[in-house]
Amino acid sequence: MSNRTFTMVKPDATGKGYTGAIIDQIIKGGFSIKAMKWTKLTKEQAGEFYAVHKERGFYAELVEFMSSGPIVAAILEKDNAVADFRKLIGATNPANAEEGTIRKNFAASIGENAVHGSDSDENAAIEGNFFFSFLERF
Ligand code: GDP
């Protein structure tokens, strides 16, 4: 069990002005921020980040969406970070997300679902390394 996870506030949420409220909910959920940046992915970078989903029918749509506007990338720390953060954000499809979760509060659809959360310790490390050098985290 690792104490770090990786998140992005996705382009739907940054575009609707939800960034501050989402980060506030993350901090109130007990996570501390170890690295953070406001950036925008190219299509190539979004394709690489989500390469694991290449064979899925929604891959092209996902790459288009994730490169359509700014994102906020962050490394978060808390005991049991990966599992606790998945709980805080709720189900992939906001229609199935529990009340009070970030996706229930801020997401519009299964594709445009406001936030990313790593699904394993291994992916949390890979995804954090995708965005941040060792000089950009503490
Ligand atoms: P997550 O771990 O909860 O983010 O879900 P997945 O790993 O299954 O999917 C990664 C991301 O792909 C999701 O967060 C969505 O943004 C997107 N996605 C998943 N399923 C669909 C879908 O059926 N349609 C579209 N357009 N996007 C999807």
Coordinates of all heavy atoms in Angstrom, one line a residue, residues 17-86:
G17 N -15.1 26.2 -14.5 CA -14.8 26.9 -13.3 C -14.9 26.2 -12.1 O -15.0 26.7 -11.0
Y18 N -14.8 24.8 -12.1 CA -14.9 24.0 -10.9 C -13.5 23.7 -10.3 O -13.5 23.0 -9.2 CB -15.6 22.6 -11.3 CG -17.0 22.7 -11.7 CD1 -17.5 21.7 -12.5 CD2 -17.8 23.8 -11.3 CE1 -18.9 21.8 -12.9 CE2 -19.2 23.8 -11.7 CZ -19.7 22.8 -12.5 OH -21.0 22.9 -12.9
T19 N -12.4 24.1 -10.9 CA -11.1 23.7 -10.4 C -11.0 24.0 -8.9 O -10.6 23.1 -8.1 CB -10.0 24.5 -11.1 OG1 -10.2 24.2 -12.5 CG2 -8.6 24.0 -10.7
G20 N -11.3 25.2 -8.4 CA -11.1 25.6 -7.0 C -11.9 24.7 -6.1 O -11.4 24.2 -5.1
A21 N -13.2 24.5 -6.5 CA -14.1 23.7 -5.6 C -13.6 22.3 -5.5 O -13.7 21.6 -4.5 CB -15.5 23.8 -6.2
I22 N -13.1 21.7 -6.6 CA -12.6 20.3 -6.6 C -11.4 20.2 -5.8 O -11.2 19.3 -5.0 CB -12.4 19.8 -8.1 CG1 -13.7 19.7 -8.8 CG2 -11.6 18.5 -8.1 CD1 -13.7 19.4 -10.3
I23 N -10.4 21.1 -5.9 CA -9.2 21.1 -5.1 C -9.6 21.2 -3.6 O -9.0 20.5 -2.8 CB -8.2 22.1 -5.6 CG1 -7.7 21.7 -7.0 CG2 -7.0 22.2 -4.6 CD1 -6.9 22.8 -7.7
D24 N -10.5 22.1 -3.3 CA -11.0 22.3 -2.0 C -11.5 20.9 -1.4 O -11.2 20.5 -0.3 CB -12.1 23.3 -2.0 CG -12.5 23.7 -0.6 OD1 -11.6 24.1 0.2 OD2 -13.7 23.6 -0.3
Q25 N -12.3 20.2 -2.2 CA -12.9 19.0 -1.7 C -11.8 17.9 -1.5 O -11.8 17.1 -0.6 CB -14.0 18.5 -2.7 CG -14.7 17.3 -2.1 CD -16.0 16.9 -2.9 OE1 -16.4 17.6 -3.8 NE2 -16.5 15.7 -2.6
I26 N -10.8 17.9 -2.4 CA -9.6 17.0 -2.3 C -8.9 17.3 -0.9 O -8.6 16.3 -0.2 CB -8.7 17.1 -3.5 CG1 -9.4 16.6 -4.7 CG2 -7.4 16.4 -3.2 CD1 -8.7 16.8 -6.0
I27 N -8.6 18.5 -0.7 CA -7.9 18.9 0.6 C -8.7 18.6 1.8 O -8.3 18.0 2.8 CB -7.5 20.4 0.5 CG1 -6.4 20.6 -0.5 CG2 -6.9 20.8 1.9 CD1 -6.1 22.0 -0.9
K28 N -10.0 18.9 1.7 CA -10.9 18.6 2.9 C -11.1 17.1 3.0 O -11.4 16.6 4.1 CB -12.3 19.3 2.7 CG -12.2 20.8 3.0 CD -13.5 21.4 2.9 CE -13.4 22.9 3.3 NZ -14.2 23.8 2.5
G29 N -10.8 16.3 2.0 CA -10.9 14.9 2.1 C -9.6 14.3 2.7 O -9.5 13.0 2.8
G30 N -8.7 15.1 3.1 CA -7.5 14.6 3.8 C -6.3 14.4 3.0 O -5.3 13.9 3.5
F31 N -6.3 14.8 1.8 CA -5.1 14.7 0.9 C -4.3 15.9 0.9 O -4.8 17.0 0.9 CB -5.6 14.4 -0.6 CG -6.3 13.1 -0.7 CD1 -7.6 13.0 -0.5 CD2 -5.6 12.0 -1.1 CE1 -8.3 11.7 -0.6 CE2 -6.2 10.8 -1.2 CZ -7.6 10.6 -1.0
S32 N -2.9 15.7 0.9 CA -2.1 16.9 0.8 C -1.4 16.9 -0.6 O -1.2 15.8 -1.2 CB -1.0 17.0 1.9 OG -0.3 15.8 1.9
I33 N -1.1 18.1 -1.1 CA -0.6 18.2 -2.4 C 0.9 18.2 -2.4 O 1.5 19.0 -1.7 CB -1.2 19.5 -3.0 CG1 -2.7 19.4 -3.2 CG2 -0.5 19.8 -4.4 CD1 -3.4 20.8 -3.4
K34 N 1.4 17.2 -3.2 CA 2.9 17.1 -3.2 C 3.5 17.6 -4.5 O 4.7 17.8 -4.6 CB 3.3 15.6 -3.1 CG 2.9 15.0 -1.8 CD 3.7 15.6 -0.7 CE 3.1 15.5 0.7 NZ 3.9 16.2 1.7
A35 N 2.7 17.9 -5.5 CA 3.1 18.5 -6.8 C 1.8 18.9 -7.5 O 0.7 18.3 -7.3 CB 3.8 17.5 -7.7
M36 N 1.8 20.0 -8.2 CA 0.6 20.5 -8.9 C 1.0 21.4 -10.1 O 1.9 22.2 -10.0 CB -0.3 21.2 -8.0 CG -1.5 21.8 -8.7 SD -2.8 22.4 -7.5 CE -3.6 20.9 -7.1
K37 N 0.3 21.2 -11.2 CA 0.5 22.1 -12.4 C -0.7 22.3 -13.2 O -1.5 21.3 -13.4 CB 1.7 21.8 -13.2 CG 1.7 20.5 -14.0 CD 2.9 20.4 -14.9 CE 4.2 20.1 -14.2 NZ 5.3 19.7 -15.1
W38 N -0.9 23.5 -13.7 CA -2.0 23.8 -14.7 C -1.3 23.7 -16.1 O -0.3 24.4 -16.3 CB -2.4 25.3 -14.4 CG -3.4 25.8 -15.3 CD1 -3.2 26.5 -16.5 CD2 -4.8 25.9 -15.1 NE1 -4.4 26.9 -17.1 CE2 -5.4 26.5 -16.2 CE3 -5.7 25.4 -14.1 CZ2 -6.8 26.7 -16.4 CZ3 -7.1 25.6 -14.3 CH2 -7.6 26.3 -15.4
T39 N -1.8 22.8 -16.9 CA -1.2 22.6 -18.2 C -2.2 22.2 -19.2 O -3.4 22.1 -18.9 CB 0.0 21.6 -18.0 OG1 0.7 21.5 -19.3 CG2 -0.5 20.2 -17.6
K40 N -1.8 21.9 -20.4 CA -2.7 21.4 -21.5 C -2.0 20.3 -22.3 O -0.8 20.6 -22.7 CB -3.1 22.6 -22.4 CG -4.2 22.3 -23.4 CD -4.6 23.6 -24.0 CE -5.8 23.4 -25.0 NZ -5.4 22.8 -26.3
L41 N -2.7 19.2 -22.4 CA -2.1 18.1 -23.2 C -2.2 18.3 -24.7 O -3.3 18.7 -25.1 CB -2.7 16.8 -22.7 CG -2.5 16.3 -21.3 CD1 -3.4 15.2 -21.0 CD2 -1.0 15.9 -21.1
T42 N -1.2 17.9 -25.4 CA -1.4 17.8 -26.9 C -2.2 16.4 -27.1 O -2.3 15.6 -26.2 CB -0.1 17.7 -27.6 OG1 0.6 16.5 -27.2 CG2 0.8 18.9 -27.3
K43 N -2.7 16.3 -28.3 CA -3.3 15.0 -28.6 C -2.4 13.8 -28.5 O -2.7 12.8 -28.0 CB -3.8 15.0 -30.1 CG -5.2 15.6 -30.2 CD -5.7 15.3 -31.6 CE -6.8 16.2 -31.9 NZ -7.4 16.1 -33.2
E44 N -1.1 14.0 -28.9 CA -0.1 13.0 -28.7 C 0.1 12.6 -27.3 O 0.2 11.4 -26.9 CB 1.2 13.4 -29.4 CG 1.2 13.5 -30.9 CD 0.3 14.7 -31.4 OE1 0.2 15.7 -30.7 OE2 -0.2 14.6 -32.5
Q45 N 0.2 13.6 -26.4 CA 0.4 13.4 -25.0 C -0.8 12.7 -24.4 O -0.6 11.8 -23.6 CB 0.7 14.7 -24.3 CG 2.1 15.3 -24.6 CD 2.2 16.7 -24.2 OE1 1.3 17.5 -24.0 NE2 3.5 17.1 -23.9
A46 N -2.0 13.1 -24.7 CA -3.2 12.5 -24.2 C -3.3 11.0 -24.7 O -3.6 10.1 -23.9 CB -4.4 13.3 -24.6
G47 N -2.9 10.8 -25.9 CA -2.9 9.4 -26.4 C -1.9 8.6 -25.7 O -2.2 7.4 -25.4
E48 N -0.8 9.1 -25.4 CA 0.2 8.3 -24.6 C -0.2 8.1 -23.2 O -0.1 6.9 -22.7 CB 1.6 9.1 -24.6 CG 2.7 8.3 -24.2 CD 4.0 9.2 -24.0 OE1 4.1 10.3 -24.6 OE2 4.9 8.8 -23.2
F49 N -0.8 9.1 -22.6 CA -1.2 8.9 -21.2 C -2.3 7.8 -21.1 O -2.3 7.0 -20.2 CB -1.8 10.2 -20.6 CG -2.2 10.1 -19.2 CD1 -1.2 10.4 -18.2 CD2 -3.4 9.7 -18.8 CE1 -1.5 10.3 -16.9 CE2 -3.7 9.6 -17.4 CZ -2.8 9.9 -16.5
Y50 N -3.2 7.8 -22.1 CA -4.3 6.8 -22.0 C -4.1 5.6 -23.0 O -5.0 4.9 -23.3 CB -5.6 7.5 -22.4 CG -6.2 8.3 -21.3 CD1 -6.2 9.7 -21.3 CD2 -6.7 7.7 -20.1 CE1 -6.7 10.4 -20.2 CE2 -7.3 8.4 -19.1 CZ -7.3 9.8 -19.1 OH -7.8 10.5 -18.1
A51 N -2.8 5.3 -23.3 CA -2.5 4.2 -24.3 C -3.1 2.9 -23.8 O -3.4 2.1 -24.7 CB -1.0 4.1 -24.4
V52 N -3.2 2.7 -22.5 CA -3.8 1.4 -22.0 C -5.2 1.2 -22.6 O -5.7 0.1 -22.7 CB -3.8 1.4 -20.5 CG1 -4.6 2.5 -19.9 CG2 -4.2 0.1 -19.9
H53 N -5.9 2.3 -23.0 CA -7.3 2.2 -23.5 C -7.4 2.2 -25.0 O -8.4 2.4 -25.6 CB -8.1 3.4 -22.9 CG -8.3 3.3 -21.5 ND1 -8.8 2.2 -20.8 CD2 -8.1 4.3 -20.5 CE1 -8.9 2.5 -19.5 NE2 -8.5 3.7 -19.3
K54 N -6.2 2.0 -25.7 CA -6.1 2.2 -27.1 C -7.2 1.3 -27.9 O -7.7 1.7 -28.9 CB -4.7 1.7 -27.6 CG -4.2 2.5 -28.7 CD -2.7 2.3 -28.9 CE -2.1 3.4 -29.7 NZ -0.7 3.6 -29.5
E55 N -7.4 0.1 -27.4 CA -8.3 -0.8 -28.1 C -9.8 -0.5 -27.8 O -10.7 -1.1 -28.4 CB -8.0 -2.2 -27.7 CG -6.6 -2.6 -28.0 CD -6.1 -2.3 -29.4 OE1 -6.8 -2.4 -30.3 OE2 -4.9 -1.9 -29.5
R56 N -10.1 0.4 -26.8 CA -11.5 0.7 -26.4 C -12.1 1.6 -27.4 O -11.5 2.4 -28.1 CB -11.5 1.3 -25.0 CG -10.7 0.6 -24.0 CD -11.4 -0.6 -23.3 NE -12.5 -0.2 -22.4 CZ -12.3 0.1 -21.1 NH1 -11.1 0.1 -20.6 NH2 -13.3 0.4 -20.4
G57 N -13.4 1.4 -27.6 CA -14.2 2.2 -28.6 C -14.2 3.7 -28.3 O -14.3 4.5 -29.3
F58 N -14.0 4.0 -27.1 CA -14.0 5.5 -26.7 C -12.7 6.2 -26.8 O -12.6 7.3 -26.4 CB -14.7 5.7 -25.4 CG -14.0 5.0 -24.2 CD1 -12.9 5.5 -23.7 CD2 -14.5 3.8 -23.7 CE1 -12.2 4.8 -22.6 CE2 -13.9 3.1 -22.7 CZ -12.7 3.6 -22.1
Y59 N -11.6 5.4 -27.2 CA -10.3 6.0 -27.1 C -10.1 7.3 -27.8 O -9.6 8.3 -27.3 CB -9.3 5.0 -27.6 CG -7.8 5.4 -27.6 CD1 -7.1 5.6 -26.4 CD2 -7.1 5.6 -28.8 CE1 -5.8 6.0 -26.4 CE2 -5.8 6.0 -28.8 CZ -5.1 6.2 -27.6 OH -3.8 6.6 -27.7
A60 N -10.6 7.4 -29.1 CA -10.4 8.6 -29.9 C -11.1 9.8 -29.2 O -10.6 10.9 -29.2 CB -10.9 8.4 -31.3
E61 N -12.3 9.5 -28.8 CA -13.1 10.5 -28.1 C -12.4 11.0 -26.8 O -12.4 12.2 -26.5 CB -14.5 9.9 -27.7 CG -15.6 10.9 -27.5 CD -16.9 10.2 -27.2 OE1 -17.2 9.2 -27.9 OE2 -17.6 10.6 -26.4
L62 N -11.9 10.1 -26.1 CA -11.1 10.4 -24.8 C -9.9 11.2 -25.1 O -9.7 12.2 -24.4 CB -10.7 9.1 -24.2 CG -9.9 9.1 -22.9 CD1 -10.6 9.9 -21.8 CD2 -9.5 7.7 -22.4
V63 N -9.2 10.9 -26.1 CA -8.0 11.7 -26.5 C -8.4 13.1 -26.9 O -7.8 14.1 -26.5 CB -7.2 10.9 -27.6 CG1 -6.1 11.8 -28.2 CG2 -6.6 9.7 -27.0
E64 N -9.4 13.2 -27.7 CA -9.9 14.5 -28.2 C -10.3 15.3 -27.0 O -9.9 16.5 -26.9 CB -11.1 14.2 -29.1 CG -11.6 15.4 -29.9 CD -10.6 15.9 -30.9 OE1 -9.9 15.0 -31.6 OE2 -10.4 17.1 -31.1
F65 N -11.1 14.7 -26.1 CA -11.6 15.4 -24.9 C -10.4 15.9 -24.0 O -10.4 17.1 -23.6 CB -12.6 14.5 -24.1 CG -12.8 15.0 -22.7 CD1 -13.3 16.2 -22.4 CD2 -12.6 14.1 -21.7 CE1 -13.6 16.6 -21.1 CE2 -12.8 14.5 -20.4 CZ -13.3 15.8 -20.1
M66 N -9.5 15.0 -23.7 CA -8.4 15.3 -22.8 C -7.4 16.3 -23.3 O -6.7 16.9 -22.5 CB -7.7 14.0 -22.3 CG -8.6 13.2 -21.4 SD -9.1 14.0 -19.9 CE -7.6 14.4 -19.1
S67 N -7.5 16.6 -24.6 CA -6.6 17.6 -25.2 C -7.3 18.8 -25.6 O -6.8 19.7 -26.2 CB -5.8 17.0 -26.4 OG -6.7 16.5 -27.4
S68 N -8.6 18.9 -25.2 CA -9.5 20.0 -25.6 C -9.4 21.3 -24.8 O -9.9 22.3 -25.2 CB -10.9 19.5 -25.6 OG -11.4 19.3 -24.3
G69 N -8.7 21.2 -23.6 CA -8.6 22.4 -22.8 C -7.6 22.1 -21.7 O -7.1 21.0 -21.6
P70 N -7.4 23.1 -20.8 CA -6.5 22.9 -19.7 C -6.9 21.9 -18.7 O -8.1 21.6 -18.5 CB -6.4 24.3 -19.0 CG -7.5 25.1 -19.6 CD -8.0 24.5 -20.8
I71 N -5.9 21.3 -18.1 CA -6.1 20.4 -17.0 C -5.2 20.8 -15.8 O -4.3 21.6 -16.0 CB -5.7 18.9 -17.4 CG1 -4.2 18.9 -17.8 CG2 -6.5 18.4 -18.5 CD1 -3.5 17.6 -17.4
V72 N -5.5 20.3 -14.6 CA -4.6 20.5 -13.4 C -4.2 19.1 -13.1 O -5.0 18.2 -12.8 CB -5.4 21.2 -12.3 CG1 -4.4 21.2 -11.1 CG2 -5.8 22.6 -12.7
A73 N -2.9 18.9 -13.1 CA -2.3 17.6 -12.7 C -1.7 17.7 -11.3 O -1.2 18.8 -11.0 CB -1.2 17.2 -13.7
A74 N -1.9 16.7 -10.5 CA -1.3 16.8 -9.1 C -1.0 15.4 -8.6 O -1.6 14.4 -8.9 CB -2.3 17.4 -8.2
I75 N 0.0 15.4 -7.7 CA 0.4 14.2 -6.9 C -0.1 14.5 -5.5 O 0.1 15.5 -5.0 CB 1.9 14.0 -6.9 CG1 2.4 13.6 -8.3 CG2 2.2 12.8 -5.9 CD1 3.9 13.5 -8.4
L76 N -0.9 13.5 -5.0 CA -1.5 13.7 -3.7 C -1.0 12.6 -2.7 O -0.7 11.5 -3.1 CB -3.1 13.5 -3.8 CG -3.7 14.4 -4.9 CD1 -5.2 13.9 -5.0 CD2 -3.7 15.8 -4.5
E77 N -1.0 13.0 -1.4 CA -0.6 12.1 -0.4 C -1.6 11.9 0.7 O -2.2 12.9 1.2 CB 0.8 12.6 0.2 CG 1.4 11.6 1.2 CD 2.8 12.0 1.6 OE1 3.8 11.7 0.8 OE2 2.9 12.7 2.6
K78 N -1.8 10.7 1.1 CA -2.6 10.3 2.3 C -2.4 8.8 2.5 O -2.0 8.1 1.6 CB -4.1 10.5 1.8 CG -5.1 10.3 2.9 CD -6.6 10.4 2.3 CE -7.6 10.3 3.4 NZ -7.7 8.9 4.0
D79 N -2.6 8.4 3.7 CA -2.6 6.9 3.9 C -3.6 6.3 3.0 O -4.7 6.8 2.8 CB -3.0 6.6 5.4 CG -1.9 6.9 6.3 OD1 -0.8 7.2 5.9 OD2 -2.2 7.0 7.6
N80 N -3.3 5.1 2.4 CA -4.2 4.4 1.5 C -4.7 5.3 0.4 O -5.9 5.3 0.0 CB -5.4 3.9 2.3 CG -6.1 2.8 1.7 OD1 -5.5 2.0 0.9 ND2 -7.4 2.7 1.9
A81 N -3.8 6.1 -0.2 CA -4.2 7.2 -1.1 C -5.0 6.7 -2.3 O -6.0 7.3 -2.7 CB -2.9 7.9 -1.6
V82 N -4.5 5.6 -3.0 CA -5.2 5.2 -4.3 C -6.6 4.9 -4.0 O -7.6 5.4 -4.6 CB -4.4 4.1 -4.9 CG1 -5.3 3.4 -6.0 CG2 -3.1 4.6 -5.5
A83 N -6.9 4.0 -3.0 CA -8.2 3.5 -2.8 C -9.1 4.6 -2.2 O -10.3 4.8 -2.6 CB -8.2 2.3 -1.8
D84 N -8.5 5.4 -1.3 CA -9.3 6.5 -0.7 C -9.7 7.6 -1.7 O -10.8 8.1 -1.6 CB -8.6 7.1 0.5 CG -8.6 6.2 1.8 OD1 -9.2 5.1 1.7 OD2 -8.1 6.7 2.8
F85 N -8.8 7.8 -2.6 CA -9.1 8.8 -3.6 C -10.2 8.3 -4.6 O -11.1 9.1 -5.0 CB -7.8 9.3 -4.4 CG -8.1 10.5 -5.2 CD1 -8.3 11.8 -4.6 CD2 -8.1 10.5 -6.6 CE1 -8.5 12.9 -5.3 CE2 -8.4 11.7 -7.3 CZ -8.5 12.9 -6.7
R86 N -10.1 7.0 -5.0 CA -11.2 6.5 -5.9 C -12.5 6.6 -5.2 O -13.5 6.8 -5.8 CB -10.9 5.0 -6.2 CG -9.6 4.8 -6.9 CD -9.6 5.1 -8.4 NE -10.5 4.3 -9.1 CZ -10.6 4.3 -10.4 NH1 -9.8 5.0 -11.2 NH2 -11.5 3.5 -11.0

